[in-house]
Amino acid sequence: MVSVLTTIALIIIGVLLFELIIFFHEGGHFLAAKRSGVQVNEFALGMGPKLFSFTRGETTYSLRAFPIGGYCAMEGEDEDSDNPRAFNNAKVWKRMIIIVAGAFMNIVLGLIMMFVIVIQTPYYSSTTVSSFPQTSFSANCGLQSGDTITKVNNYRILTSQDIQFALYTSKCKEVDGDTLSIYKQDCAMFLCNLYVDFYNEEKANYSEKQITKAYNLLTEGAEKINAAADKSTAEELAIKYGKKIEKAVGTSEHKALDIEVKETRQRYQMDLEVLRNGKKMLLKDVQFYTYLKSDDEQPAVSLDFYVEPIEKNIGTVLTQTGLQTTSVARMVWATLIGLVRGEFSIKDVSGPVGVASAVTQVASKGLETGFLDAVNNIVYVMLLISVNLGIFNMLPFPALDGGRFVFLLIETIFRRPIPRKVEGIVNGAGLVLLLALSALIALKDIWQLLPFGG
């Protein structure tokens, strides 16, 4: 019963947050119109039949049945009107402000939601490398502790989110399996596997002191292997520290070093620009920890270094709120550019059905640690949606606010408005295309939810 009530509560929170996004967007148009002296006939939250409404002054405020949108209906918005306070009779610069106000308010809401998340975080992640795990691939490709990452494959890095985005949107490549970096990876992995073998037998054969000493030797050996200048040195270090680890746990059974060299291996490999000792450096072909997922055996990538924390205070809370919101906006824009360039496909795009599924998944994941975590996960998804809506809606495409803004720019340049009939035809065609695309994405989302469609 508790689980059902919790699920219902999270659904209600998700719906309310979605409607809050619509409220801010349409509210932006509404406030800008009112401030510009344009008559607003109706401000509606939701679509479909009215649940209730009331009128104040010249505007009717209504709540409608389906929580899937809303609108701000202005006089003279879609047809010519003789009313001096109609949208079509307002000055061009005022109409421009009204058009962009919706997207602007979506970004403002994104900032508010990010602040809610950021202020709960005990500390923040920087973009400066602090240390590496023993099996780090990037460590033996030139990345060092103290490096501040400024670019990944020419993608500018502002926050740790940017590093993850650049990493997870990169492509896996085939690299030469006989390179020094690969050899150092295998030598370090040899030490790690040796330690793991002993660790798994800890309770039966080895004391905590022995295991701790072996771990320290593993860390020391891996660091030296990563810094090795050639294969022979890396191999010598692996054998040397392998013997030390065996001695630490009191065994004399030395395991031979067996490096399996393949012609090629799959690796996530990128170019990094870092700030090292005050100077910018370009690190070419830095590899990151690449592994095979157990379910479909497709290569996956993982960050294989730790970053320095940023202390939480009033200044860093505000700074991180701004920077992380900016990172989200840049991710949305980069994704849209990637779609145009063919770097992403329709499989990577989700509509309302896919978003609802994603909200369900992140909420379920959050519930594993607590109700508040589930709510925060939903807030973060809604933050992405709000920023996404703000950016997407300003694209110069017919039927979107950005398309209408283009018409206003043309009117400004040529000192005369586009004929209403032409504007209606163009926006109608754009709307048909958007609806067709939405339907296609919805079908794709539904198919992926089916047992045989995933």
Side-chain angles (χ1 to χ4, degrees):
M1 183 63 179
V2 175
S3 177
V4 173
L5 292 176
T6 300
T7 302
I8 293 173
L10 290 173
I11 291 173
I12 292 173
I13 290 171
V15 171
L16 291 176
L17 286 173
F18 181 76
E19 282 304 298
L20 182 64
I21 294 171
I22 302 301
F23 176 79
F24 263 69
H25 182 87
E26 299 302 335
H29 294 314
F30 175 82
L31 291 175
K34 287 289 188 179
R35 293 289 294 177
S36 300
V38 171
Q39 179 176 318
V40 179
N41 296 328
E42 184 180 359
F43 180 82
L45 196 59
M47 304 293 282
K50 288 183 183 179
L51 296 179
F52 71 87
S53 64
F54 62 91
T55 302
R56 289 288 184 273
E58 63 193 11
T59 305
T60 298
Y61 302 86
S62 61
L63 180 66
R64 295 179 176 266
F66 306 121
I68 55 173
Y71 56 87
C72 173
M74 294 173 281
E75 178 72 18
E77 181 181 6
D78 297 317
E79 57 186 19
D80 289 329
S81 172
D82 296 329
N83 188 329
R85 296 182 56 236
F87 178 82
N88 61 290
N89 292 323
K91 293 181 179 180
V92 175
W93 65 268
K94 288 186 176 182
R95 282 179 277 157
M96 285 180 169
I97 291 174
I98 293 170
I99 289 298
V100 302
F104 174 77
M105 289 304 292
N106 278 130
I107 303 301
V108 170
L109 179 59
L111 279 165
I112 294 171
M113 288 181 167
M114 184 64 80
F115 178 80
V116 170
I117 294 172
V118 166
I119 201 170
Q120 298 178 64
T121 308
Y123 60 87
Y124 313 114
S125 298
S126 71
T127 58
T128 300
V129 178
S130 61
S131 60
F132 300 90
Q134 295 86 356
T135 55
S136 170
F137 289 0
S138 60
N140 54 53
C141 292
L143 193 64
Q144 296 180 10
S145 297
D147 286 348
T148 298
I149 300 174
T150 55
K151 286 184 181 179
V152 175
N153 284 346
N154 289 321
Y155 186 79
R156 190 182 173 199
I157 303 301
L158 300 177
T159 69
S160 58
Q161 290 184 90
D162 294 330
I163 299 175
Q164 294 178 13
F165 176 77
L167 192 64
Y168 294 128
T169 54
S170 62
K171 303 298 182 183
C172 194
K173 302 176 181 179
E174 297 285 339
V175 299
D176 185 356
D178 195 30
T179 58
L180 175 59
S181 60
I182 294 291
Y183 204 80
K184 290 195 291 186
Q185 289 168 18
D186 286 339
C187 288
M189 190 66 73
F190 163 77
L191 285 187
C192 189
N193 290 337
L194 184 63
Y195 167 78
V196 169
D197 286 344
F198 292 129
Y199 181 84
N200 289 335
E201 301 175 21
E202 176 184 357
K203 291 182 180 179
N205 301 311
Y206 309 113
S207 68
E208 183 177 343
K209 184 178 180 180
Q210 287 174 304
I211 291 297
T212 301
K213 186 175 181 181
Y215 179 82
N216 292 335
L217 288 167
L218 163 64
T219 302
E220 181 183 330
E223 288 177 354
K224 291 187 176 182
I225 289 170
N226 290 335
D230 52 60
K231 291 183 181 180
S232 60
T233 303
E235 185 171 333
E236 287 173 4
L237 287 166
I239 295 173
K240 175 183 175 181
Y241 277 89
K243 290 179 178 179
K244 283 187 175 184
I245 290 173
E246 290 173 335
K247 184 178 179 181
V249 295
T251 180
S252 59
E253 296 181 7
H254 176 60
K255 296 186 178 180
L257 180 63
D258 183 18
I259 300 294
E260 180 186 0
V261 178
K262 301 178 182 177
E263 291 184 3
T264 60
R265 298 191 190 185
Q266 291 182 311
R267 288 287 184 270
Y268 280 86
Q269 183 172 277
M270 284 147 271
D271 296 337
L272 270 61
E273 181 187 86
V274 301
L275 191 64
R276 181 181 295 173
N277 299 323
K279 296 181 180 180
K280 287 186 177 180
M281 295 184 61
L282 180 62
L283 306 178
K284 299 285 290 184
D285 300 330
V286 177
Q287 297 170 27
F288 288 86
Y289 190 80
T290 307
Y291 60 98
L292 295 178
K293 293 182 178 179
S294 58
D295 51 354
D296 55 10
E297 290 299 299
Q298 293 297 312
V301 63
S302 175
L303 281 177
D304 59 1
F305 58 84
Y306 306 111
V307 296
E308 294 179 359
I310 299 174
E311 182 183 354
K312 180 180 180 180
N313 54 50
I314 294 175
T316 56
V317 166
L318 296 178
T319 301
Q320 286 297 310
T321 296
L323 285 177
Q324 291 190 38
T325 305
T326 301
S327 289
V328 169
R330 292 175 66 236
M331 290 177 205
V332 171
W333 182 250
T335 303
L336 290 172
I337 296 298
L339 283 169
V340 174
R341 291 177 176 174
E343 297 169 4
F344 305 109
S345 68
I346 194 171
K347 293 180 180 179
D348 304 307
V349 180
S350 291
V353 176
V355 169
S357 176
V359 170
T360 301
Q361 291 177 23
V362 299
S364 299
K365 188 69 176 177
L367 279 176
E368 294 176 5
T369 52
F371 183 79
L372 182 59
D373 288 334
V375 173
N376 284 334
N377 285 354
I378 295 174
V379 170
Y380 190 79
V381 172
M382 293 302 168
L383 182 162
L384 291 173
I385 294 172
S386 186
V387 173
N388 194 1
L389 178 61
I391 294 175
F392 180 80
N393 215 36
M394 284 308 298
L395 293 178
F397 189 85
L400 297 177
D401 287 343
R404 299 177 68 184
F405 190 82
V406 170
F407 282 125
L408 293 176
L409 282 177
I410 295 173
E411 181 178 341
T412 302
I413 295 170
F414 292 99
R415 306 285 181 146
R416 58 184 299 178
I418 300 292
R420 184 70 73 163
K421 184 176 181 180
V422 173
E423 184 177 349
I425 292 173
V426 173
N427 283 332
L431 182 60
V432 170
L433 289 174
L434 286 174
L435 291 175
L437 179 61
S438 299
L440 181 62
I441 292 173
L443 288 172
K444 184 270 300 181
D445 288 340
I446 292 171
W447 175 261
Q448 289 182 337
L449 290 175
L450 297 174
F452 48 82

